[in-house]
Amino acid sequence: MPRLPAGFLKMRVTLRVLSGPYSGREFVFDQHDTFLIGRAESAHLYLPEDRFFSRHHCLLEIAPPRCFLRDLGSTNGTIVNGRKVQEAFLRSGDRIQGGQTLLEVEVHGDEGAAAADESERETQNLSRPSIVVVECANCSRREHTEAATPDETLTFLCEDCREELRRQPQPIPGYETIRVLGRGGMGCVTLSREENSGRMVAIKTLLPEVAVSNQSLRRFMREIEVAAALDHPNIVRFLDRGTAKGAIYLVTEYVDGTDAARLADANGGRLPLREAIDIVMQSLDALAYAHDKGYIHRDIKESNILISGTSPNVTAKLTDFGLAKSFTQSGMSGITMVGDMAGTFAYMPPEQIKDFRNVRPTSDIYAIGMTAYSLLAGDVALDISPQANVAETVKAIFEKPIIPLRQRSPDTPERVAEVVERALTKDPGQRWQSATAMRNALNWAVS
């Protein structure tokens, strides 16, 4: 691996196995990733002979320099530094133990730093992240945070400003704010008027959860610019993007209507068969187009399908194409498993939780299948309670069979249920292999 330019130090997290079947092995992470430990073959640290571990024992989410561990309802619990924990932020030197296996966490710098001799590491302080003072881009409050290098330029919003901007977003230069359309974990969406043209647009404000480098911001903007090339009648178009006082804003076309989640809520939690299938088929048209061009959505759910018109003449448009991936991999999302994220995880297939950086179109097929199920049945296909937390949801995704659609929605035709349930198969190879194939099957099922 070539040395990085002078003055640049890439953050990495290493999980080093100190004892057990994998003793001496290291798992190195230099970008946002997940790491699954357990007796299941799908685990990254696969421990089939150690009965201490459950099949899916615990899951780590790593966003260098941060590392977060969540126990997945294991029988014997997850031990960190000699103490059983349900969840924990891990720091350099922390140890995870179970059965014969002992792992140690280390946060450090680039490949060159790891190879440097001890005196060089001490004089250059390359073995640990630098603690720097950052200033909130909105209110100028100062806080300490970790950075790859002491002179790295970081954009930062303090917690109070993030909360305030979620409640009341600031106007974006060149746009007049009309009203707030919705709020979410990353920020909020407003209806605005473009001052030069007078056209109505939607502006999504994204609020980074952690201090991020200017390099990460530029990478995020480049990825969004690439996604803006998608041009399809069932995909919401990106129009503009930028930053303002630490917040990132994305300007898209305004869809005058609602989203599929709210539409279902207004109808008692579920939609009539024909209306639900029409929305799903239009979404599959959008996916077929995007997949053909190499794009994967990664975050399909009812709230990300915007609806205009009234039945039977509705238009469905997928929004936020690729946004979840870009926001997460740029490092701006922080750790996503913290907080009440069970609802979001419920739409993810097993392979996306295990390796969300390398998902394929069949992962979108699973998510649109879960969306179709929910629109028809008023609930997700997993055997979990409405109050299920992330650990319970992830365990159900990996280990529990789905509840048959007709068990929750007896009036759904058997052929439709078969199409939807095939999309929800845990094995990606057994799902519909293309959005077009699933769309054609649904069209046949309701004809």
Side-chain angles (χ1 to χ4, degrees):
M1 176 178 177
R3 289 298 300 268
L4 297 170
F8 180 82
L9 182 59
K10 190 169 186 179
M11 299 302 301
R12 292 188 300 147
V13 171
T14 295
L15 299 178
R16 182 173 294 110
V17 185
L18 302 181
S19 63
Y22 293 89
S23 181
R25 185 168 178 182
E26 294 183 351
F27 301 88
V28 182
F29 307 86
D30 61 6
Q31 57 184 306
H32 207 131
D33 213 335
T34 51
F35 187 78
L36 179 64
I37 300 174
R39 288 190 293 107
E41 290 185 17
S42 57
H44 298 99
L45 191 63
Y46 174 42
L47 302 164
E49 305 302 325
D50 194 332
R51 305 306 298 181
F52 176 90
F53 288 94
S54 299
R55 283 178 46 76
H56 299 94
H57 193 90
C58 63
L59 181 67
L60 283 76
E61 182 182 359
I62 299 154
R66 299 161 192 84
C67 184
F68 181 77
L69 177 148
R70 183 182 292 279
D71 181 82
L72 297 179
S74 64
T75 301
N76 294 316
T78 299
I79 311 299
V80 176
N81 298 332
R83 184 171 61 91
K84 186 180 292 187
V85 300
Q86 291 296 319
E87 57 183 46
F89 278 98
L90 304 178
R91 301 190 64 83
S92 202
D94 285 349
R95 293 187 171 189
I96 308 164
Q97 185 165 16
Q100 304 296 319
T101 297
L102 177 66
L103 296 92
E104 185 174 63
V105 178
E106 183 177 1
V107 180
H108 52 135
D110 70 323
E111 190 78 10
D117 62 36
E118 196 62 30
S119 62
E120 183 182 1
R121 289 166 67 102
E122 291 179 358
T123 57
Q124 296 187 28
N125 194 27
L126 295 180
S127 61
R128 294 291 184 270
S130 301
I131 303 299
V132 299
V133 176
V134 290
E135 185 176 279
C136 176
N138 190 56
C139 73
S140 300
R141 178 186 300 177
R142 294 188 173 189
E143 293 186 12
H144 290 81
T145 190
E146 296 174 327
T149 61
D151 58 350
E152 184 176 33
T153 303
L154 299 174
T155 296
F156 165 72
L157 283 172
C158 69
E159 184 175 349
D160 288 343
C161 284
R162 283 200 306 272
E163 289 305 313
E164 178 61 27
L165 290 173
R166 283 192 180 99
R167 290 192 297 267
Q168 189 61 45
Q170 292 185 349
I172 302 300
Y175 298 91
E176 177 190 358
T177 301
I178 306 300
R179 68 175 186 272
V180 174
L181 297 174
R183 294 179 175 86
M186 291 187 289
C188 65
V189 182
T190 61
L191 171 64
S192 301
R193 180 183 292 108
E194 187 176 42
E195 293 174 353
N196 287 340
S197 67
R199 69 176 169 177
M200 306 302 287
V201 298
I203 299 182
K204 180 181 287 287
T205 304
L206 305 177
L207 306 172
E209 292 294 320
V210 295
V212 294
S213 68
N214 285 355
Q215 181 188 30
S216 295
L217 282 175
R218 288 193 297 269
R219 183 168 64 245
F220 174 81
M221 292 298 184
R222 284 196 302 269
E223 291 197 15
I224 292 301
E225 188 170 349
V226 171
L230 292 174
D231 184 13
H232 188 274
N234 298 116
I235 296 176
V236 174
R237 289 181 294 115
F238 282 111
L239 302 174
D240 194 10
R241 63 208 62 84
T243 60
K245 293 189 175 181
I248 299 160
Y249 64 87
L250 305 175
V251 183
T252 70
E253 67 170 306
Y254 170 58
V255 177
D256 187 7
T258 185
D259 61 53
R262 293 177 179 176
L263 186 63
D265 287 343
N267 283 272
R270 48 182 291 194
L271 294 179
L273 175 69
R274 292 285 178 175
E275 188 171 2
I277 296 303
D278 184 21
I279 290 170
V280 171
M281 287 174 61
Q282 290 186 53
S283 301
L284 285 165
D285 284 337
L287 286 179
Y289 165 84
H291 290 169
D292 187 57
K293 292 186 174 296
Y295 294 91
I296 301 174
H297 190 288
R298 297 169 180 260
D299 191 26
I300 298 170
K301 51 193 175 186
E302 297 97 302
S303 60
N304 279 340
I305 304 176
L306 303 188
I307 307 295
S308 60
T310 56
S311 183
N313 299 308
V314 302
T315 298
K317 288 177 177 274
L318 280 177
T319 190
D320 291 351
F321 228 101
L323 182 58
K325 174 214 171 191
S326 300
F327 196 68
T328 299
Q329 291 194 193
S330 67
M332 289 186 284
S333 64
I335 297 294
T336 62
M337 288 196 301
V338 177
D340 185 17
M341 296 289 293
T344 296
F345 274 92
Y347 289 73
M348 292 186 185
E351 73 275 10
Q352 186 169 347
I353 294 174
K354 179 185 173 185
D355 184 10
F356 63 77
R357 289 194 295 115
N358 298 306
V359 299
R360 301 177 63 82
T362 46
S363 295
D364 278 349
I365 297 296
Y366 181 99
I368 195 67
M370 189 66 76
T371 300
Y373 187 110
S374 180
L375 290 175
L376 291 166
D379 200 353
V380 294
L382 302 175
D383 184 14
I384 55 174
S385 71
Q387 294 77 36
N389 58 29
V390 171
E392 293 167 333
T393 302
V394 171
K395 192 176 184 67
I397 291 170
F398 279 119
E399 298 182 4
K400 292 184 178 180
I402 65 167
I403 295 175
L405 176 54
R406 284 167 56 83
Q407 184 174 321
R408 283 185 166 157
S409 178
D411 55 340
T412 298
E414 186 173 348
R415 294 194 300 185
V416 171
E418 289 173 354
V419 174
V420 173
E421 289 170 7
R422 179 171 171 181
L424 293 172
T425 305
K426 295 186 188 299
D427 179 1
Q430 299 300 314
R431 295 177 203 146
W432 301 104
Q433 293 302 291
S434 72
T436 299
M438 183 174 176
R439 188 201 186 284
N440 291 342
L442 271 179
N443 190 44
W444 171 81
V446 296
S447 59

